Amino acid sequence: MSTHDIDAGAPLAQALRRPCPSCRQGMQPLRLAGHYEVPIDIDLCLPCHLVWFDHDESQRLSGAGLLRLLERIAASHAVAAHSLRTQLDCPSCARAMKLVHNLTLAGRSLQYNCPGGHGKAQTFALYLAEKGVLRPVLVRDVNRLAQSDGGGLECINCGADVPGSIGGQASNHAQCGYCSTPLHLVDVDALADLLLRMSPGPDRELAQRQQGRRVAGNCGQCGAALAPGLHMRCSHCQGTLATTHLTGALAALPERMRATRDRRRASDFAQMPSLDSRWRDLKDLGERWQQGPRQWRSGATRADRSREIDGLGDFVEALIDAIDLSF
Ligand SMILES: [Zn+2]
Ligand SMILES: [Zn+2]
Ligand SMILES: [Zn+2]
Ligand SMILES: [Zn+2]
């Protein structure tokens, strides 16, 4: 374990905090685990749903650091969003930052860069897009969600409810009324795959070797056959595969990571799967977490959401321990 979270209520004087590039209020500092035990200090503005990285530090986050950051992003969904100013200023030198296109292995994203090289700012959604774990919401997703019980689409950036229809028609052009982020889903398998690539040991090698090979697999929960990346839920058991709800994606993660790992191992003759108990524990972990918050998903308020994220920290902690992501 090498996360060193700075407590949200740490006695760091507001004046010492770096100003948010948009609202200029002090940002919340957060120390996260990086590769090779080198911690990474980042800053978050929860009301603006922005993250600040010094220089190119976002590339150095370890899997454990990434999971911690996802936990904070999910927690920010209980905080009402400010809209961003059109111009963002660097927290270090106050110069106007430039919006630049950023082409990564995972695809295209956007970021605001300090012209003096101090670092970059991204909305939470842009950060997640850069990591390659988002996909746009399609009309069929909207229809499917409308039919499912816990219905309702949320903004992946700020957590606000987003109606999936425009003028009564299901639409994939819907965007958040608070922060203008277009509707996106977290693809839980893409996130599981990313974390496996970041994890130490043989799973990492295997995942890297097989990267981009999104073979059709089986639902990690019930075993039904699936076409990857196409569905919101397993049609058989309703297990979550993609969701606009980040906490839901984290809850589904243990099961999907296990399924992804087993699939990778099974398709690689050099690495026969060995059942190890930590991965069996993951299943229980996911199930325990999912029992609680599910019942009051539909029509959830911000207060419901803060209740939902109670315990998210412990869950992520257990997940990091179980899959040994700290290295
Ligand atoms: Zn702000
Ligand atoms: Zn600067
Ligand atoms: Zn939003
Ligand atoms: Zn299933």
Side-chain angles (χ1 to χ4, degrees):
M1 277 306 307
S2 55
T3 46
H4 311 275
D5 277 10
I6 296 172
D7 192 334
L12 184 62
Q14 183 73 11
L16 293 178
R17 294 185 174 196
R18 294 207 272 192
C20 167
S22 181
C23 72
R24 313 305 294 169
Q25 298 296 304
M27 289 189 284
Q28 189 182 101
L30 181 63
R31 176 164 286 190
L32 297 171
H35 292 303
Y36 310 112
E37 307 276 323
V38 182
I40 301 195
D41 292 306
I42 67 167
D43 299 276
L44 302 176
C45 180
L46 298 188
C48 292
H49 298 84
L50 272 185
V51 55
W52 168 264
F53 291 97
D54 288 330
H55 310 292
D56 57 353
E57 296 224 302
S58 69
Q59 302 309 319
R60 297 203 300 107
L61 273 190
S62 71
L66 174 63
L67 270 175
R68 281 286 178 206
L69 178 53
L70 295 181
E71 174 204 327
R72 289 301 172 97
I73 293 174
S76 82
H77 289 179
V79 179
H82 290 172
S83 49
L84 289 185
R85 290 193 299 127
T86 43
Q87 183 192 301
L88 303 190
D89 300 324
C90 172
S92 294
C93 67
R95 287 160 76 186
M97 294 202 288
K98 280 205 183 83
L99 184 61
V100 295
H101 288 267
N102 171 11
L103 198 56
T104 68
L105 284 176
R108 281 171 198 283
S109 184
L110 291 167
Q111 63 188 49
Y112 294 86
N113 282 355
C114 164
H118 288 117
K120 71 166 182 183
Q122 280 177 313
T123 64
F124 296 154
L126 289 178
Y127 176 73
L128 294 170
E130 180 195 298
K131 291 287 141 200
V133 300
L134 297 189
R135 71 167 173 84
V137 172
L138 307 174
V139 167
R140 62 163 179 251
D141 297 322
V142 178
N143 288 332
R144 198 178 293 118
L145 259 185
Q147 289 158 13
S148 75
D149 49 355
L153 295 157
E154 288 177 14
C155 171
I156 200 64
N157 190 53
C158 77
D161 290 321
V162 182
S165 60
I166 296 174
Q169 292 282 69
S171 170
N172 52 351
H173 298 298
Q175 60 176 41
C176 175
Y178 292 87
C179 72
S180 305
T181 301
L183 264 181
H184 275 79
L185 297 162
V186 179
D187 180 332
V188 186
D189 283 347
L191 178 56
D193 197 57
L194 172 66
L195 285 165
L196 284 174
R197 272 183 274 134
M198 295 171 88
S199 69
D203 289 311
R204 178 191 194 178
E205 275 167 44
L206 195 55
Q208 283 174 343
R209 200 149 16 112
Q210 298 186 353
Q211 188 180 353
R213 226 200 283 167
R214 301 281 305 276
V215 286
N218 297 87
C219 170
Q221 218 151 281
C222 74
L226 302 169
L230 285 180
H231 299 289
M232 301 277 286
R233 291 178 180 284
C234 169
S235 57
H236 191 234
C237 74
Q238 300 299 306
T240 305
L241 305 170
T243 171
T244 63
H245 181 219
L246 185 54
T247 310
L250 289 173
L253 194 52
E255 197 45 55
R256 301 306 307 161
M257 283 190 75
R258 200 183 55 77
T260 304
R261 193 189 76 150
D262 289 351
R263 208 157 66 226
R264 292 221 177 276
R265 286 191 168 187
S267 68
D268 192 291
F269 292 107
Q271 299 275 345
M272 291 309 286
S274 67
L275 262 184
D276 81 55
S277 58
R278 284 184 320 175
W279 285 83
R280 263 184 272 118
D281 293 345
L282 273 180
K283 189 168 190 302
D284 301 341
L285 182 64
E287 279 169 2
R288 258 185 288 143
W289 171 258
Q290 279 180 307
Q291 275 162 9
R294 271 294 155 74
Q295 293 123 19
W296 40 265
R297 272 316 306 159
S298 61
T301 63
R302 296 257 180 206
D304 291 332
R305 256 165 229 160
S306 32
R307 224 178 315 135
E308 185 179 34
I309 59 176
D310 275 352
L312 183 57
D314 290 342
F315 169 77
V316 167
E317 185 85 29
L319 182 56
I320 289 170
D321 279 345
I323 56 188
D324 190 20
L325 279 172
S326 46
F327 67 107

